[in-house]
Amino acid sequence: MESAMQVNWLDHVNVITDRLDETAEFYKALLNLERRDAPPPLTPQNAQWMYDAGGKAIIHINSVDCPRTFDRHVEPGALTGAVHHVALNCSGYDELMERVGALGTPFQVNTVEAIGLRQIFVSDPNNVLLELNFFGD
């Protein structure tokens, strides 16, 4: 019997931070994401959601004191356990490189020629490693 279950795409990433505003502005400046207040019962002071061009809230940013349905201990800026990085499919490589340069944040580039992939690795203000992937761009 075939399964109807499948993974369709990465829905969102949740970042817990003690630097809510700085983190939201980082994602806005680097990835051109739209910053919006999270829906109630969350408040603008404890949660900001970052939306892509398609109107999807792909990065949820919560303050350390934000209520969580599944609560667990987190330490902003510390290693994130088994999660090594968050990979996002992107376009506009040259523009993103300009943004990285303007932010002055450390980064690393990589090319996987066999599959036509260029990558930019950069960490957010909470030490979350981002792998920004550009296929054929």
Side-chain angles (χ1 to χ4, degrees):
M1 174 180 229
E2 277 189 46
S3 173
M5 188 275 159
Q6 65 182 12
V7 174
N8 295 316
W9 58 76
L10 179 63
D11 186 73
H12 72 272
V13 174
N14 182 250
V15 177
I16 308 299
T17 182
D18 54 3
R19 297 180 277 184
L20 184 72
D21 190 60
E22 179 184 356
T23 302
E25 289 302 310
F26 171 86
Y27 283 102
K28 179 180 175 182
L30 181 67
L31 301 177
N32 201 33
L33 297 177
E34 180 185 350
R35 179 181 180 172
R36 297 186 202 169
D37 296 341
L42 303 176
T43 69
Q45 294 75 33
N46 67 23
Q48 294 288 295
W49 284 9
M50 306 304 293
Y51 287 77
D52 67 11
K56 296 180 186 106
I58 62 169
I59 301 176
H60 298 179
I61 305 169
N62 299 109
S63 64
V64 292
D65 60 348
C66 183
R68 289 182 275 286
T69 302
F70 186 95
D71 197 17
R72 67 177 181 85
H73 177 74
V74 293
E75 292 181 44
L79 293 176
T80 56
V83 177
H84 180 267
H85 66 269
V86 175
L88 301 173
N89 183 293
C90 300
S91 58
Y93 181 88
D94 293 335
E95 182 179 341
L96 191 74
M97 284 298 294
E98 289 176 17
R99 290 170 183 242
V100 169
L103 288 171
T105 188
F107 68 95
Q108 178 180 328
V109 296
N110 184 54
T111 302
V112 183
E113 292 182 24
I115 58 172
L117 171 64
R118 291 192 293 176
Q119 300 174 303
I120 302 170
F121 291 89
V122 61
S123 294
D124 84 351
N126 305 284
N127 204 24
V128 175
L129 179 62
L130 303 176
E131 175 186 302
L132 308 174
N133 291 327
F134 299 81
F135 288 92
D137 190 314

